[in-house]
Structures are given as C-alpha cells and as structure tokens.
Amino acid sequence: MAETLFGPPPGPVLDVSPTADDVAFFRANGFLAVERLTTDEEVDWLRRIFEHIFDPANAGNPGGPVDRSGLRIPEIAGKLTQSFFPEMQFPEILETNFRRNARRFAAALLDQDEAQLTSWGHMIRKAPGGPAASWHQDHAYWQPEFDYCALGVWLPMHDVSVEMGAMQFIPGSHRRGLLPHRQEDDPSQNVLMVDERAGVDLSTAVACPLKKGGCTFHHAETLHYTAPNTTDRPRLAFPMEFQLKPVRRAQPERMPWVDEHRAAIGGAGPTLYIHDGRITRL
Ligand SMILES: O=C(O)CCC(=O)C(=O)O
C-alpha cells in the first residue's frame, strides 16, 4: 500500500507555461533553464520525501538509494547515490505543480500531445566530495531495441551552484543524434561517458546554476555533465523524464556499451515501461 507520510502536496497552485522564445531556445540548443517551475513550499515538501528515502534508517526499503559512484575510485570522499521511481512509493508526487508544469513544458518543447507523455522520476544525492556525472546523453542509458522521444527535467531541492553540481550542457549537441559512449567504470556499474572519438568541444559548455524552484530541461540527446561537489553541503536533485511510449525498432541500435553492461550482469532482463507510477512490459 502506498505511504502517505507527507500528506498531499502543499499549496499554492502555480501554473507556468513556456514562451515561444523558450521553445525556440530549446529547439536550437537542446536545453532550457527556467527560473521558477514550482513553489518553494512544494520544493520543501519534496525535500522531506527525498530525505526520508535517503535516510540511512530506511536503507533497504523498496526504491531505496543505490550507490552510483562506481568502483574505480574506492577512496572517493563522497558518494553519488540514486533512488529510482519515488512516485511508486509516493504517488502524490504525480499531483505536484512540478510534474504538471514540467509535462506542459515537455509537450511544447518536444512538440507532442501532452496527453501522450508519461513520466518517471529519480532522485540523485551528490554528497560533499561526491564525483562528477561525466558528459553523457541520457539516450545512451536506454535500450537499443527501442526508439525514444523524450526529455529530462532537473529540479534541485535548494539553490545550486556550479561547485555543488549544477547541470552543464553542450549547446546544439542534441542535433548530433546518439553519440558513441563507453563504460567509465566496471561495466557492471553502468556509469557512462561520451567517447573521446565523438570529438566534443567542451569549451562551449554552458553551466546553469539555479535558485530554488528553478529547473533545467534537456533533450535525451543533449550532452550534459555535473561537476564534483566541492562544497560542504549535499546536492539534492530530482530529475523526471517525460517520454512517449518507446517504439520497437526493426533492428536494434548499435550500442556496444549496453552489450558490455548486459554481459557483465548476465543478460538484458525484460524491457519494462515505467509510466506515471505503473510498470508494464514493452
Ligand atoms: O544530477 C546529476 O548529477 C546528473 C543528472 C543527470 O545526468 C540527469 O538528470 O540526466
């Protein structure tokens, strides 16, 4: 049974929509920073859920955080931990300003019917001293057997600086399609980075520090990165992915880094479609 430990999302209701300039900027650059997507009250409420999920006292619960720091640097000072699909345990997340406004933006930015877009969320905690999230495209993490139409929205639970791990993007990289990636760590860990052969000019990167209540959007093929957290505070971010139902391809896409991960964990497993707190098979 779903927990209702935190009650419904607090008011006030806030409705925001993208401008024509926002849409044009996203289409040209593959990302967009939005000054306010939801209220401070709602971010505080989401943060309480976030801290509950990441509380060591709740370790091992369904949806509990997993270590995504990799094995490469065992002595790393802080961890990067991630909890998948918090809306399964707390479906009231689906009733937030955050999700409603983000879905409206996603429909306009992707030029899709809002009713066809579904979401899944994950929460990422980068502890003080926690590692970078290397340059990657989200699509690189997905299944070669499917085509996707998707974007991510990234909502921090507080003001976020570049030093804490704000999002950074390579403008226009979404127009290059899926780029070659490689396993940055042991393939069992599935920590990906774009391959040097892709020839990415990192000098064009744009960093997007945010005030609480603000967010960034990025296309599934926009290269993005977050720096190591060199502050003394944990960086808490709640990304949500919006997508059309993935479409099976006639031939799988060539994604050798996915093959490597599958081999390391003993196979592919069933392909699941996680949508709005529900799971079905694709
Ligand atoms: O939160 C981070 O550090 C990385 C987030 C990310 O890569 C994403 O949301 O796609």
Side-chain angles (χ1 to χ4, degrees):
M1 197 167 101
E3 292 183 39
T4 54
L5 279 180
F6 301 97
V13 169
L14 176 75
D15 276 314
V16 285
S17 302
T19 64
D21 284 351
D22 288 339
V23 174
F25 184 92
F26 180 88
R27 301 252 172 98
N29 294 288
F31 72 96
L32 177 72
V34 173
E35 209 171 299
R36 181 162 290 284
L37 191 74
T38 185
T39 61
D40 287 358
E41 292 86 341
E42 191 174 274
V43 175
D44 292 342
W45 178 86
L46 287 167
R47 184 174 180 148
R48 288 172 59 216
I49 296 179
F50 195 121
E51 285 178 345
H52 171 83
I53 291 173
F54 283 76
D55 184 339
N58 296 320
N61 283 353
V66 290
D67 187 355
R68 299 282 295 130
S69 315
L71 307 173
R72 196 173 41 122
I73 320 173
E75 68 284 5
I76 193 142
K79 294 288 186 191
L80 192 146
T81 43
Q82 190 168 13
S83 159
F84 289 95
F85 320 127
E87 66 277 8
M88 299 234 182
Q89 200 185 351
F90 298 101
E92 49 279 34
I93 288 173
L94 299 171
E95 308 306 322
T96 52
N97 291 321
F98 168 36
R99 196 233 178 205
R100 191 180 61 261
N101 288 329
R103 193 162 82 137
R104 188 178 307 120
F105 268 76
L109 301 179
L110 293 173
D111 195 20
Q112 296 297 332
D113 176 7
E114 195 177 327
Q116 302 303 315
L117 286 174
T118 66
S119 68
W120 59 273
H122 48 131
M123 292 174 160
I124 309 178
R125 182 179 193 276
K126 196 188 296 229
S134 294
W135 287 103
H136 69 277
Q137 296 169 312
D138 289 339
H139 185 173
Y141 276 97
W142 300 343
Q143 310 299 318
E145 292 81 9
F146 292 86
D147 279 328
Y148 297 88
C149 173
L151 62 62
V153 55
W154 190 89
L155 181 83
M157 303 285 97
H158 42 68
D159 295 356
V160 67
S161 62
V162 175
E163 299 71 33
M164 209 175 187
M167 288 284 261
Q168 304 190 36
F169 303 99
I170 302 292
S173 47
H174 65 306
R175 285 187 260 114
R176 296 187 60 188
L178 180 64
L179 295 169
H181 281 63
R182 65 179 178 82
Q183 296 287 344
E184 183 183 3
D185 204 283
D186 187 279
S188 64
Q189 302 298 298
N190 206 29
V191 178
L192 298 180
M193 65 184 292
V194 70
D195 197 288
E196 287 79 2
R197 285 171 301 148
V200 178
D201 179 2
L202 298 182
S203 71
T204 64
V206 176
C208 295
L210 292 167
K211 291 284 182 202
K212 180 171 158 184
C215 71
T216 56
F217 287 87
H218 62 276
H219 186 277
E221 286 167 353
T222 301
L223 281 165
H224 56 285
Y225 165 88
T226 63
N229 182 358
T230 53
T231 74
D232 56 4
R233 280 156 297 135
R235 197 232 53 198
L236 312 179
F238 185 0
M240 211 180 265
E241 313 296 326
F242 286 86
Q243 61 176 342
L244 297 181
K245 186 172 181 180
V247 177
R248 191 174 283 277
R249 296 166 57 94
Q251 293 294 327
E253 186 125 22
R254 212 184 100 69
M255 296 170 76
W257 57 92
V258 174
D259 301 337
E260 235 187 298
H261 173 60
R262 287 179 176 178
I265 62 167
T271 314
L272 302 176
Y273 177 41
I274 319 258
H275 52 110
D276 304 337
R278 283 167 290 155
I279 308 182
T280 49
R281 281 199 179 210
L282 270 174

